[in-house]
Amino acid sequence: MQEVGYAKQSVEGITTRAGVGKQTIYRWWPSERRFGLAAMAAVGVCGLVVTWWSDPLDKSAVPEMAQMSPLVFSARGIAPIGCAAFAFVLGVTVGVLVRRTLPAMALTLVAFAAIQLAMPLLVRPHLMPPVTSTFELGRTNVNGLVPQGQEGGGVQIFLSTSAVPGHAGGPTKRELCAS
């Protein structure tokens, strides 16, 4: 692809470069699009393996290295699949517009790196933070408790949403302060 660009790439060119027969490539990837999708799927599998492997580390992480930190976020869950898809589409778009392989690759790399830096530093801080609330569990908002295990298991708590502060139908801050 580097020699002729994405627009002029063919399965025949891939087989010649790889030194394999056309039947081998056509068996796995009948078109260039499927070859790109297979590459994104491979990135996704790698991302999910990294997520599985690092789950114990994420649970014990200090707040500076939590899952939403810029370095960690793009390497966990399905985020690598989205990054790979975006990079692929960005590369194809730049390649079609520039029509020169090396400059298109350089522009794609610079644009992708700039966007990867801009999102966590400039955009993500302005997104809405998660909403959390703390309230006391009591007779007015707990509908039931169900033990989950025989010995030392957890307890499932059923809440009445009409008595949970901040929930639709729940008491307002003014009502809570008055009581």
Side-chain angles (χ1 to χ4, degrees), residues 136-144 160 163:
E136 184 178 335
L137 297 178
R139 293 180 191 264
T140 59
N141 59 0
V142 175
N143 284 341
S160 168

Side-chain angles (χ1 to χ4, degrees), residues 54 58 64-77 79:
S54 61
D58 291 340
E64 293 82 30
M65 289 302 291
Q67 285 185 327
M68 292 305 287
S69 71
L71 291 174
V72 177
F73 178 77
S74 62
R76 304 286 201 276

Side-chain angles (χ1 to χ4, degrees), residues 52-103:
W52 168 77
W53 174 83
S54 61
D55 187 50
L57 299 173
D58 291 340
K59 288 179 181 173
S60 64
V62 294
E64 293 82 30
M65 289 302 291
Q67 285 185 327
M68 292 305 287
S69 71
L71 291 174
V72 177
F73 178 77
S74 62
R76 304 286 201 276
I78 62 170
I81 299 170
C83 288
F86 174 70
F88 181 76
V89 170
L90 180 66
V92 169
T93 304
V94 171
V96 167
L97 294 174
V98 174
R99 296 230 183 255
R100 307 293 298 165
T101 304
L102 196 56

Side-chain angles (χ1 to χ4, degrees), residues 34-164:
R34 289 199 183 172
F35 184 75
L37 290 173
M40 284 185 271
V43 167
V45 168
C46 290
L48 293 175
V49 168
V50 166
T51 302
W52 168 77
W53 174 83
S54 61
D55 187 50
L57 299 173
D58 291 340
K59 288 179 181 173
S60 64
V62 294
E64 293 82 30
M65 289 302 291
Q67 285 185 327
M68 292 305 287
S69 71
L71 291 174
V72 177
F73 178 77
S74 62
R76 304 286 201 276
I78 62 170
I81 299 170
C83 288
F86 174 70
F88 181 76
V89 170
L90 180 66
V92 169
T93 304
V94 171
V96 167
L97 294 174
V98 174
R99 296 230 183 255
R100 307 293 298 165
T101 304
L102 196 56
M105 289 173 60
L107 281 172
T108 301
L109 178 64
V110 168
F112 185 74
I115 291 168
Q116 286 293 91
L117 288 172
M119 285 300 292
L121 298 175
L122 303 175
V123 177
R124 211 173 286 151
H126 299 289
L127 297 177
M128 187 181 301
V131 177
T132 59
S133 64
T134 305
F135 55 92
E136 184 178 335
L137 297 178
R139 293 180 191 264
T140 59
N141 59 0
V142 175
N143 284 341
L145 301 171
V146 178
Q148 294 298 310
Q150 296 293 335
E151 296 179 19
V155 175
Q156 188 172 10
I157 301 173
F158 294 97
L159 297 175
S160 168
T161 57
S162 62
V164 175

